[in-house]
Amino acid sequence: AVRDHKRVAVRSSNGVGKQLTLDTPLPTPTGWTTMGEVKVGDYVLDEMGRPTKVTYTSPVRTLDTFAVTFSDGAVLHASGDHLWNTIDFRAIGRYRKHSKITDYRELWDLSETRDTYTLRDTVDHRGYHNHYIPINNALDLPEADLPVDPYVLGVWLGDGTASAAALTLGESKRHIADEFERRGVSTTEIPHEDRATTWTFAHQGFIQEFRSLGTLNNKHIPDIYLRASAAQRLDLLRGLMDTDGFLITPSRGTSATGVGIDLMNEQLAYGVVELVRSLGARCSIREGRTYLNGRNVGTRYRMNFNPTFDPFSSESPKSQGRRAFGAQQSRKTVRTIVSIQEVEAQPSRCIAVDNPRRLYLAGREMIPTHNTHVCGVIAAWWIATRYLE
């Protein structure tokens, strides 16, 4: 109609918007923004982890608002007519009759676009969660010019001395010093009779680099590392996991089903959570207390995740203990909607993006969600009226 007549009236209900609340975090190729701050021309990220351009933002409205809760505990607040791409229980059943599911991220073509009202009314199917949403792929970003090798930084953040280029490693972690040497970082061993060995890698410029990154005496993951390439981010994670990571082994059986990492530094812990999610894995975090000889020594942050990739370096003994990919592999790549509850109405808005499926990532958990049909129509109008022959 736009092509043939140029002037077209669209009739719809008042306040239509398909919106998320203004405080919803949105991951971007360079960091984070919010639904309230994002602008036309900005880039967010799509379900494949690729940058996608924002082509439209709606006015702010206050509409019926719902808390959408997912199987991993994530919650997004959306309007009743906000759109989602979900794969329902029946579609999953039909697919399983002729094919094995190994990764839900390959099944987006089975998804249908539904609004929050519809999902609320169909959240369960005969006692099972009815709506599946594949998790995001690893963020697909270019290689960054990093001042410190990401594996080296990860190891230092985990087991390094906060004020020096030095590590304290037990015998089971000796492979880490070997990995430093392979990466061109010379180490000097200082053995101790009563405790683990100290390895120094001083006089190679690392103190100056840690200072320039703002990590000296202030351990955290710098933003430039959180938006480096997938390979660089995986190296960083492996450095952290080789030091403080562990295997999660079920009570029955001997192979690990997941992995975890314990940290006492809150800022570093939440950086690890973002790092893991940026690599295409769900990650939970819990606070607890740490005791030493019966004395409370502070808050411990425990992160658990179950990746499709090996989070340890190949020489780590922990790498050998991971279970080979098996029948439950697909569960690592999906979350389900467990409840949708109405909450107090909140200001919200919608955006349109230019990727083919019209999906973008929302929330700290990087959940794929849909832009609005209304925004899509406006974007189509803009294209149609400016590119007519």
Side-chain angles (χ1 to χ4, degrees), residues 88-366:
D88 66 22
F89 189 86
R90 292 179 182 274
I92 293 296
R94 289 192 297 269
Y95 186 85
R96 281 181 174 148
K97 289 180 179 179
H98 59 80
S99 300
K100 179 180 178 180
I101 298 175
T102 57
D103 192 327
Y104 279 89
R105 293 172 293 193
E106 299 172 354
L107 305 183
W108 278 112
D109 288 346
L110 298 181
S111 68
E112 295 184 18
T113 304
R114 302 171 169 97
D115 63 27
T116 309
Y117 290 123
T118 300
L119 299 184
R120 178 195 58 180
D121 296 340
T122 60
V123 71
D124 292 319
H125 177 78
R126 297 180 179 178
Y128 295 93
H129 298 154
N130 190 31
H131 294 285
Y132 296 66
I133 297 181
I135 67 171
N136 61 288
N137 279 47
L139 304 190
D140 185 6
L141 302 172
E143 185 172 299
D145 183 12
L146 302 177
V148 177
D149 180 279
Y151 180 83
V152 172
L153 178 64
V155 168
W156 179 78
L157 289 173
D159 274 354
T161 302
S163 59
L167 311 168
T168 302
L169 304 175
E171 185 59 32
S172 65
K173 300 178 182 178
R174 180 173 287 271
H175 70 280
I176 291 175
D178 296 336
E179 183 63 28
F180 270 43
E181 296 286 347
R182 282 192 288 271
R183 292 171 182 264
V185 180
S186 299
T187 59
T188 301
E189 181 179 2
I190 306 175
H192 302 275
E193 293 182 0
D194 58 343
R195 61 186 178 87
T197 299
T198 295
W199 298 82
T200 67
F201 53 105
H203 310 300
Q204 298 173 78
F206 285 101
I207 290 297
Q208 292 83 352
E209 297 295 1
F210 293 152
R211 183 177 288 112
S212 69
L213 288 169
T215 58
L216 195 67
N217 291 311
N218 179 31
K219 286 188 177 183
H220 66 280
I221 301 177
D223 290 344
I224 188 175
Y225 283 81
L226 289 169
R227 290 298 185 269
S229 71
Q232 290 173 317
R233 298 195 310 274
L234 182 54
D235 262 357
L236 174 63
L237 179 63
R238 284 175 171 163
L240 283 154
M241 294 297 290
D242 278 3
T243 56
D244 291 328
F246 55 86
L247 301 170
I248 300 173
T249 304
S251 56
R252 291 179 293 179
T254 58
S255 297
T257 57
V259 297
I261 181 171
D262 284 346
L263 296 168
M264 298 286 288
N265 178 325
E266 181 179 11
Q267 185 180 14
L268 178 57
Y270 278 94
V272 170
V273 172
E274 180 176 347
L275 177 64
V276 172
R277 291 170 177 166
S278 80
L279 287 166
R282 300 192 312 264
C283 184
S284 64
I285 182 169
R286 300 197 315 271
E287 294 184 17
R289 308 304 299 177
T290 296
Y291 295 87
L292 180 62
N293 298 324
R295 183 172 61 90
N296 185 343
V297 294
T299 303
R300 177 210 68 201
Y301 300 90
R302 172 163 291 180
M303 287 68 69
N304 292 341
F305 57 104
N306 198 356
T308 57
F309 52 85
D310 190 349
F312 305 105
S313 66
S314 59
E315 300 301 317
S316 170
K318 290 176 278 195
S319 178
Q320 313 307 317
R322 293 188 69 241
R323 174 181 294 174
F325 297 157
Q328 303 304 312
Q329 177 74 356
S330 62
R331 292 187 180 183
K332 306 172 185 179
T333 61
V334 71
R335 52 172 57 88
T336 57
I337 296 175
V338 299
S339 70
I340 299 179
Q341 302 293 329
E342 188 167 6
V343 297
E344 182 178 354
Q346 301 173 45
S348 55
R349 71 194 298 215
C350 67
I351 64 174
V353 295
D354 65 357
N355 78 304
R357 290 196 182 97
R358 299 296 178 188
L359 298 177
Y360 64 96
L361 304 182
R364 292 290 172 184
E365 296 81 5
M366 303 187 186

